[in-house]
Amino acid sequence: MSLTPIRTTCPYCGVGCGVVATSQEDGSIAIKGDEQHPANEGRLCSKGSALGETLSLDDRLLFPEVDGRRAGWDEALDLVARRFSETIAEHGPESVAFYGSGQLLTEDYYVANKLMKGFIGAANIDTNSRLCMASSVAGHIRAFGSDTVPGTYEDLEEADLVVLVGSNMTWCHPVLFQRVLAARERRGTRIVVIDPRRTVTAEAADLHLAIAPNSDVALFAGLLDHLDRMGLRDNAYVDSHTSGLDAALQAAGECGFPGALNATRLPAELLREFYTLWSRSERVVTAYSQGVNQSVAGTDKVNAIINCHLFTGRIGRLGMGPFSLTGQPNAMGGREVGGLANMLAVHLNINSASHRELVRSFWGSPRIAEKPGLKAVDLFRAVGEGRVKAIWIMGTNPADSLPDADAVQEALRRCPFVVVSDVTRTDTTRHAHVLLPAAAWAEKSGTVTNSERRISRQRSFLKPPGEARPDWRIVCDVAARMGFAEAFDYQSPAEIFREHAALSGLANDGRRDFDIGACAELSGNAYDALEPFQWPRRRGEALDAGTTRFFAAGGFYTPDRRGRFVPTLVAQQAVSPEFPLILNTGRIRDQWHTMTRTAKTPRLMSHYAESFCEIHPDDAEDGGVAPATLVRIVSPQGSAIVRALVTERQQKGSIFVPMHWTDQQTAQGRIGAATFAAVDPVSGQPGLKSSSVSIEPFDAAWYGFAVLRNRPETIRADYWALARAEGGWRIELAGTEPVEDWADFAATLIGSGENLETLSYSDQDQASFRLATFAGDALLGALFVAPQPVAVSRTWAVEHLSAPDIRGTERLRLLSGRPGTDQADPGPIVCACFSVGANQIAAAIENGAASVEAVGETLRAGTNCGSCRVEIRRLIDAAVLKKAV
Ligand code: SF4
């Protein structure tokens, strides 16, 4: 019998979809979208749909560890409290730091921020949100006087024009993009994508502006100048509610159409078309994501966009406004509690003495941080330089995700005291003196806030395994041992939430945007039953009062209550002759951050099983890199080896590599090692989209591919990328030196023994080699080696791991690496929701499925989350083209 369904939220992106988790008789968990949640109304993307497959305890941290040995909680917590207290006593409060995560719940964040800023008395608490949307925060504060997202998701559905800047929304915010596409069907919304890459989102758009990297400021400065020349200034709005227009117009005028044309390198007619479209669409939403934020000019990019909306008064009304798409599930909640080094709490200003005193007296704390702390990149620099001597990393993996990641690893190696509280082992946990096992998504209770300011409950539906504990509990236990027991004597997340809500309403009276005072006295039962609601909800207001927007009638949170135009600086990135390519890193459809969760599911590993580099054919040729071979990406910081994916979707002069792979899944494939650590001067956000790099071919003497029943303990290859597959594992291999004895190599990888049967084949000079090992009738593993990238269908080979018996000619076919004519090869997986491969889709097209919908009807592909629909469209277009030729 199924247990009671639990309504919770997805732990991945900032869309913040509602999820219903139901325990099944067999112990598994069924996951479906929550039809009552306003963010998704029942929809889930491929990642959300696969959540039930990520709950295994593999690699879970189950017990505290001290210096690599199992320890009890008391010993570990005592040690953390003692070392932090001693370090503070000897070197001052700024010698310690916390580094958190947008994966933490608001309640976790609240107590961590309170401990650091109010009781330790420093502001050295920053989070991986610094890598995600710090530029949006800074841009909001410059323009609005507060970190306010003015609009809601409904605006994206009610707009006539949706402009997506630096956002591959199809893959990174899939459910929200499906809402935009549904709105286009209904009301003919025009979609414009501004992105140097021809992403799947760009392919789905009505207009794609493939601008030169980092030319967004010029694009929007040119737009502001155009709007001015067209007389589209909303005089009433600008005169009554804004300031600083003259300086912004002067800067925009200096750029103008010629400057925008020069910087973006767009055809003039395309630029004109965009400006005309934006000008003529009263209802326009300009939504932006990491392509804007992850830049050394990120804050200026944000303000260049906001300027255009302020100028036309297109803000805070139905279907219009600038809209920051948040990357992480609770980056917004972290911003609300002030969990960034330059914020205080509840959107109060750390630079204001009266705000600091308000918070200090509310907390009853002995001291309060007097100034902003170190932002992420500077914080780890300070660790490396010995200025920060004790650091506590919570629920994140900076050893891979921060730029110049090798330097971060080195800093952690040198740091006298490193604490990591996390769910699994990562490249960061290797450096921990104390490891604290934290409860994971399914085991935690609290709240999260999505990109449209909607607070939702995350509810636990599994007991924490081993001795794992919720993050808020761990922080409070350490705080108590540091002498602050009274201020951290919480018994539940509900208590913390109430305190957070009360603080938000304190001396507020509408003076600050963030106010959830209506929740200050929420009972435990009401907290448990809390429905998603949008802030602000001031004391006395009903939580279900409906949609809220900001600034339609001014009311900004600047001292004069006016929205500020910000003059923006148009600057172009200099190209270095030694490192002539611009490296852009980002997410792919089925992976999340450093893959601690998504790598657990074969379904999500089937779309891309190893990291890759999208590279323009001309750049590939110049660099001597052939398609499907391996390429080494080199920067002044370090290097990484990935597969070359040669495509015209990538602009010449730039390459794209996914951010996800780490040392856990690949050898030498961490792209973080090659990214650079320059930051935006206002927000401190690193420019992860534009590191300067060069490329060179990886000099492979041989390539290999294997399917394996068991995870190998030793991999004797210079390059490898290991991924879970249905029934076992798959691995890509390459080496720079010839291998003398392939049979011995295979035995190490696959396993050996007297009761195993092995078939093998090699050509005369041993350049090509194939081997399959069987335990009884079942396959234990198969290895394929060639001097060039191995041409064996991965999906077909993987299927053999699940086959109960493989005999006779079947074995020979496997060894040959080719399916027989009577066997279908599904091809590379396109639709992860229903595991449908490219060859299956091609066959359906061949049999008359001429549209994405028809393919969906035949195979179900593309009918769940929809994020593969553009790839299906590509296959249809390719088939049509082939027929025409
Ligand atoms: S769009 Fe996907 S990843 Fe994002 S919250 Fe929804 S289900 Fe989760």
Side-chain angles (χ1 to χ4, degrees):
M1 203 177 70
S2 299
L3 301 181
T4 314
I6 302 288
R7 291 175 63 211
T8 182
T9 45
C10 174
Y12 292 121
C13 83
V15 177
C17 296
V19 163
V20 181
T22 311
S23 304
Q24 304 295 296
E25 269 180 358
D26 63 1
S28 66
I29 303 290
I31 294 286
K32 64 182 183 96
D34 182 355
E35 289 174 9
Q36 295 171 53
H37 198 290
N40 57 319
E41 294 179 340
R43 302 176 188 93
L44 288 179
C45 75
S46 53
K47 291 186 287 289
S49 308
L51 273 166
E53 299 158 35
T54 64
L55 303 173
S56 73
L57 297 186
D58 309 359
D59 296 335
R60 274 297 294 268
L61 295 170
L62 299 174
F63 308 100
E65 290 176 21
V66 172
D67 292 330
R69 63 169 168 80
R70 181 171 167 178
W73 269 108
D74 282 340
E75 181 193 351
L77 294 170
D78 285 347
L79 181 62
V80 174
R82 182 170 62 75
R83 289 295 300 266
F84 266 75
S85 299
E86 285 172 0
T87 308
I88 293 163
E90 199 174 334
H91 303 284
E94 266 131 36
S95 63
V96 300
F98 295 166
Y99 186 65
S101 162
Q103 297 278 319
L104 295 176
L105 304 186
T106 298
E107 292 75 1
D108 304 325
Y109 252 132
Y110 180 85
V111 290
N113 189 53
K114 180 177 174 179
L115 175 57
M116 179 53 78
K117 293 195 179 129
F119 289 80
I120 290 174
N124 283 347
I125 170 166
D126 217 45
T127 88
N128 60 10
S129 297
R130 183 69 59 194
L131 317 180
C132 174
M133 35 31 63
S135 297
S136 284
V137 175
H140 288 159
I141 292 173
R142 285 207 304 196
F144 308 147
S146 56
D147 175 22
T148 315
V149 174
T152 74
Y153 292 162
E154 185 188 24
D155 296 325
L156 288 143
E157 296 175 312
E158 294 297 330
D160 296 325
L161 173 66
V162 172
V163 181
L164 300 173
V165 193
S167 162
N168 188 6
M169 201 179 182
T170 317
W171 281 6
C172 301
H173 298 91
V175 166
L176 191 54
F177 192 62
Q178 290 308 310
R179 286 178 60 170
V180 173
L181 290 181
R184 176 162 75 177
E185 284 289 303
R186 205 170 55 243
R187 64 193 308 285
T189 319
R190 302 269 287 164
I191 301 172
V192 175
V193 168
I194 295 165
D195 197 316
R197 291 167 68 210
R198 200 167 79 232
T199 60
V200 284
T201 310
E203 288 185 35
D206 299 291
L207 202 65
H208 173 210
L209 272 59
I211 60 171
N214 280 321
S215 60
D216 321 52
V217 171
L219 179 72
F220 283 93
L223 175 60
L224 181 63
D225 182 61
H226 172 83
L227 294 168
D228 186 38
R229 286 171 193 274
M230 298 300 292
L232 287 170
R233 168 176 147 163
D234 181 334
N235 289 320
Y237 190 86
V238 171
D239 293 347
S240 305
H241 303 305
T242 69
S243 66
L245 177 62
D246 289 348
L249 276 183
Q250 191 182 336
E254 281 164 18
C255 173
F257 191 84
L261 203 59
N262 180 45
T264 59
R265 300 201 294 261
L266 291 172
E269 60 279 13
L270 190 60
L271 186 61
R272 217 168 273 124
E273 187 181 350
F274 169 61
Y275 283 179
T276 305
L277 199 54
W278 209 101
S279 307
R280 290 185 180 161
S281 309
E282 171 74 357
R283 287 189 178 190
V284 53
V285 172
T286 310
Y288 51 91
S289 192
Q290 312 311 8
V292 165
N293 293 328
Q294 290 180 333
S295 162
V296 295
T299 310
D300 269 7
K301 289 184 183 183
V302 170
N303 286 113
I305 291 168
I306 293 174
N307 283 347
C308 297
H309 282 273
L310 290 177
F311 188 80
T312 49
R314 295 173 185 170
I315 186 165
R317 290 184 282 142
L318 185 70
M320 59 187 84
F323 200 105
S324 152
L325 294 165
T326 311
Q328 296 198 74
N330 197 33
M332 287 284 273
R335 285 147 73 170
E336 288 155 15
V337 303
L340 286 163
N342 54 324
M343 301 175 94
L344 188 50
V346 295
H347 288 195
L348 286 163
N349 185 350
I350 197 166
N351 294 309
S352 156
S354 62
H355 284 192
R356 291 198 302 270
E357 181 50 26
L358 190 72
V359 176
R360 194 206 59 75
S361 59
F362 178 84
W363 281 343
S365 59
R367 58 188 76 84
I368 190 95
E370 297 277 322
K371 59 179 194 317
L374 294 165
K375 296 170 184 154
V377 171
D378 288 340
L379 193 156
F380 281 90
R381 244 178 226 141
V383 173
E385 291 166 5
R387 286 179 284 130
V388 167
K389 298 170 195 306
I391 186 167
W392 183 352
I393 297 163
M394 305 176 193
T396 185
N397 185 12
D400 295 312
S401 56
L402 270 173
D404 199 359
D406 285 350
V408 172
Q409 295 224 23
E410 183 54 30
L412 291 174
R413 255 192 294 273
R414 285 197 211 150
C415 186
F417 192 58
V418 178
V419 181
V420 180
S421 44
D422 210 332
V423 168
T424 60
R425 291 185 196 279
T426 65
D427 293 342
T428 298
T429 60
R430 287 177 184 159
H431 303 284
H433 299 96
V434 179
L435 262 179
L436 303 173
W441 166 68
E443 301 138 20
K444 287 180 68 166
S445 271
T447 54
V448 290
T449 310
N450 73 2
S451 298
E452 61 165 352
R453 291 176 279 106
R454 192 176 296 283
I455 295 176
S456 299
R457 276 299 318 274
Q458 185 169 307
R459 298 181 175 89
S460 64
F461 54 89
L462 291 177
K463 282 209 174 85
E467 295 181 7
R469 292 181 181 178
D471 289 283
W472 67 266
R473 178 80 272 161
I474 302 172
V475 173
C476 292
D477 287 345
V478 169
R481 284 165 165 81
M482 290 176 76
F484 313 123
E486 202 183 327
F488 290 85
D489 185 25
Y490 305 103
Q491 301 306 311
S492 68
E495 262 183 61
I496 302 170
F497 186 72
R498 276 195 291 272
E499 183 178 305
H500 169 52
L503 179 57
S504 76
L506 191 68
N508 192 323
D509 300 324
R511 274 178 276 182
R512 301 191 304 274
D513 62 336
F514 180 68
D515 187 344
I516 53 167
C519 297
E521 277 145 33
L522 217 58
S523 69
N525 286 344
Y527 178 78
D528 284 344
L530 194 64
E531 289 292 324
F533 70 95
Q534 258 189 322
W535 61 260
R537 287 293 184 268
R538 305 184 195 279
R539 195 174 275 271
E541 283 180 351
L543 291 180
D544 61 356
T547 304
T548 56
R549 292 183 176 82
F550 284 88
F551 311 138
F556 293 91
Y557 297 95
T558 51
D560 61 3
R561 302 301 301 246
R562 285 173 173 265
R564 285 184 291 232
F565 286 95
V566 179
T568 51
L569 198 63
V570 176
Q572 273 172 293
Q573 186 173 351
V575 176
S576 123
E578 203 184 340
F579 301 101
L581 298 173
I582 294 176
L583 166 65
N584 170 8
T585 59
R587 290 180 179 155
I588 58 172
R589 190 187 76 189
D590 292 347
Q591 294 305 329
W592 180 256
H593 282 197
T594 55
M595 301 167 72
T596 48
R597 198 165 18 218
T598 44
K600 286 183 163 189
T601 149
R603 192 146 65 102
L604 296 182
M605 291 308 298
S606 61
H607 189 226
Y608 287 102
E610 70 176 328
S611 189
F612 60 88
C613 164
E614 279 189 357
I615 179 170
H616 188 275
D618 292 352
D619 289 329
E621 194 178 331
D622 290 350
V625 174
T629 60
L630 291 167
V631 53
R632 190 189 295 277
I633 296 158
V634 183
S635 79
Q637 291 73 38
S639 69
I641 300 167
V642 294
R643 187 74 52 180
L645 202 164
V646 179
T647 169
E648 290 190 348
R649 291 196 294 276
Q650 184 61 53
Q651 200 174 103
K652 209 173 158 193
S654 308
I655 58 173
F656 171 82
V657 178
M659 62 184 272
H660 309 290
W661 272 263
T662 74
D663 281 349
Q664 308 286 318
Q665 301 97 16
T666 181
Q668 303 191 59
R670 288 161 65 240
I671 196 61
T675 51
F676 82 154
V679 300
D680 177 282
V682 186
S683 68
Q685 179 153 0
L688 283 163
K689 299 260 174 218
S690 45
S691 307
S692 297
V693 298
S694 62
I695 55 167
E696 59 192 40
F698 174 76
D699 198 10
W702 58 270
Y703 286 85
F705 168 70
V707 291
L708 310 164
R709 175 71 55 78
N710 302 311
R711 184 180 180 133
E713 280 173 18
T714 312
I715 306 168
R716 289 164 25 198
D718 299 300
Y719 168 83
W720 54 262
L722 183 68
R724 273 181 199 275
E726 214 54 72
W729 300 83
R730 55 187 280 188
I731 185 166
E732 301 288 341
L733 302 147
T736 53
E737 299 294 330
V739 172
E740 292 290 316
D741 186 344
W742 280 115
D744 179 56
F745 180 97
T748 313
L749 198 66
I750 297 170
S752 58
E754 281 176 8
N755 51 350
L756 301 178
E757 194 182 336
T758 293
L759 292 177
S760 67
Y761 157 87
S762 66
D763 59 12
Q764 264 185 343
D765 56 3
Q766 293 246 331
S768 290
F769 176 81
R770 284 161 197 186
L771 177 146
T773 301
F774 299 87
D777 287 339
L779 180 69
L780 192 63
L783 170 69
F784 306 87
V785 178
Q788 300 299 328
V790 173
V792 166
S793 163
R794 278 30 179 185
T795 315
W796 170 79
V798 161
E799 281 180 350
H800 289 80
L801 290 171
S802 306
D805 46 35
I806 303 170
R807 302 193 191 115
T809 51
E810 282 291 305
R811 294 188 171 195
L812 296 176
R813 272 189 198 153
L814 174 63
L815 209 59
S816 77
R818 270 185 233 110
T821 47
D822 57 334
Q823 284 180 311
D825 168 13
I829 295 298
V830 174
C831 170
C833 295
F834 297 114
S835 296
V836 182
N839 293 352
Q840 291 169 292
I841 295 169
I845 297 166
E846 186 67 33
N847 289 330
S851 65
V852 175
E853 289 69 29
V855 169
E857 276 168 31
T858 313
L859 299 168
R860 298 178 75 200
T863 59
N864 183 38
C865 73
S867 38
C868 63
R869 289 168 70 87
V870 173
E871 287 161 271
I872 297 171
R873 175 84 256 159
R874 258 185 219 155
L875 291 168
I876 294 169
D877 291 347
V880 170
L881 195 66
K882 199 169 149 198
K883 265 194 190 146
V885 172

